[in-house]
Amino acid sequence: ITRNLLMKNVSGFVCVTNELKNKFIKYRKPVETIPNGINTPFIGRMTGLKQSRHRMQVIFLGSPNQSWHGLDKIHLLARKLPDVDFHVIGTKEIEEPVNNLKQYGYLKEEEYINIINMCDVAIGTLALHRNNMNEACPLKTREYLKYGLPTIIGYKDSDFFDNNPPFLLQLPNEEDNINNNLSAIDEFIRSSRNFKIENKNVEHIFNDFKEKKRLNFMNRLIE
């Protein structure tokens, strides 16, 4: 009831997505988009062990009962790609998973990092449309990129809104995005070991970068 009274009296807005930014433009105040970030340092990926493995390894980090994660789509993908191994961390809600999909439930950071280090590709949110959203900045995606993992997503990421780097496969934000793009997903996974993600490619996803941007915005408001 009182939201507009508050919003009309602020000096500016910091939003985590451009979708949110567009909602606050109507107040005619300065607006800055600063997506969620992750702490430094950039780690990169361990390549030696992966190159010696024949089967490709794919990881997903999540939590239970989040329909927009698209766990059913990950299960579908595992069925469609039986020669690829899938590792689901944070939940065990997939019923009767196929043999090439392993669910771990909740793991501590040191435990899931070991799995990240053995994987070639990561999967982000695949069904954001179920939450009536098209853009997001999930921490899981930043965690993947911090460890140098090429990533498959089904939404527009706020940190890569104006560019589409080769190490990020963005699928259409729709219900049938797995079946309709299976060949592209398969090719992305097969070629993932050729992708090299360096700090300079992802430095803007880290909090060090974002906090400088936030402070600059606040200083502009003060001035």
Side-chain angles (χ1 to χ4, degrees):
I1 294 173
T2 60
R3 168 180 278 200
N4 281 338
L5 292 176
L6 172 65
M7 299 303 184
K8 288 177 180 177
N9 286 285
V10 302
S11 298
F13 298 93
V14 176
C15 303
V16 292
T17 68
N18 292 291
E19 278 185 337
L20 285 174
K21 176 181 178 179
N22 292 334
K23 291 184 178 181
F24 291 107
I25 289 177
K26 65 181 181 181
Y27 293 102
R28 299 183 179 179
K29 301 290 181 69
V31 186
E32 187 76 85
T33 299
I34 304 178
N36 292 322
I38 193 170
N39 289 334
T40 52
F42 172 77
I43 305 296
R45 63 175 172 172
M46 301 169 60
T47 57
L49 186 60
K50 296 175 187 178
Q51 299 292 350
S52 65
R53 283 198 175 99
H54 176 65
R55 292 176 66 89
M56 305 298 290
Q57 308 292 316
V58 178
I59 187 172
F60 172 82
L61 296 174
S63 52
N65 306 315
Q66 312 290 336
S67 63
W68 58 88
H69 282 169
L71 288 173
D72 55 317
K73 299 187 181 191
I74 296 174
H75 196 196
L76 171 63
L77 193 55
R79 291 199 302 269
K80 296 286 188 179
L81 302 176
D83 59 337
V84 176
D85 294 326
F86 292 80
H87 305 270
V88 174
I89 314 295
T91 178
K92 288 187 175 181
E93 64 190 280
I94 297 177
E95 298 180 358
E96 300 180 2
V98 290
N99 292 333
N100 60 322
L101 190 154
K102 184 175 180 180
Q103 301 181 94
Y104 297 79
Y106 176 79
L107 295 179
K108 295 180 180 179
E109 183 177 10
E110 60 268 22
E111 295 172 322
Y112 74 72
I113 292 303
N114 288 332
I115 301 173
I116 282 181
N117 283 332
M118 63 175 263
C119 285
D120 303 287
V121 173
I123 293 179
T125 298
L126 293 178
L128 198 62
H129 55 86
R130 295 174 184 170
N131 209 25
N132 297 315
M133 296 169 62
N134 190 57
E135 181 189 351
C137 46
L139 292 176
K140 67 169 66 64
T141 303
R142 280 126 193 86
E143 186 95 356
Y144 301 147
L145 296 176
K146 176 178 180 175
Y147 285 88
L149 282 183
T151 302
I152 301 167
I153 60 175
Y155 62 92
K156 189 70 176 177
D157 195 286
S158 307
D159 268 325
F160 299 93
F161 199 81
D162 297 320
N163 67 328
N164 190 20
F167 52 80
L168 201 64
L169 178 62
Q170 181 188 324
L171 305 177
N173 186 26
E174 58 192 25
E175 192 62 48
D176 213 21
N177 53 6
I178 298 300
N179 274 327
N180 291 342
N181 298 277
L182 188 61
S183 60
I185 296 170
D186 187 32
E187 181 180 354
F188 183 81
I189 293 174
R190 309 292 171 191
S191 60
S192 63
R193 291 177 181 173
N194 297 324
F195 297 137
K196 185 180 173 95
I197 302 176
E198 299 178 334
N199 183 53
K200 64 182 180 181
N201 305 131
V202 295
E203 60 184 357
H204 61 294
I205 72 170
F206 292 104
N207 285 327
D208 291 359
F209 177 93
K210 294 177 184 296
E211 289 311 308
K212 289 177 182 177
K213 188 175 181 181
R214 197 187 319 274
L215 289 172
N216 286 337
F217 178 70
M218 294 171 73
N219 283 330
R220 291 200 305 272
L221 296 183
I222 292 170
E223 291 168 359

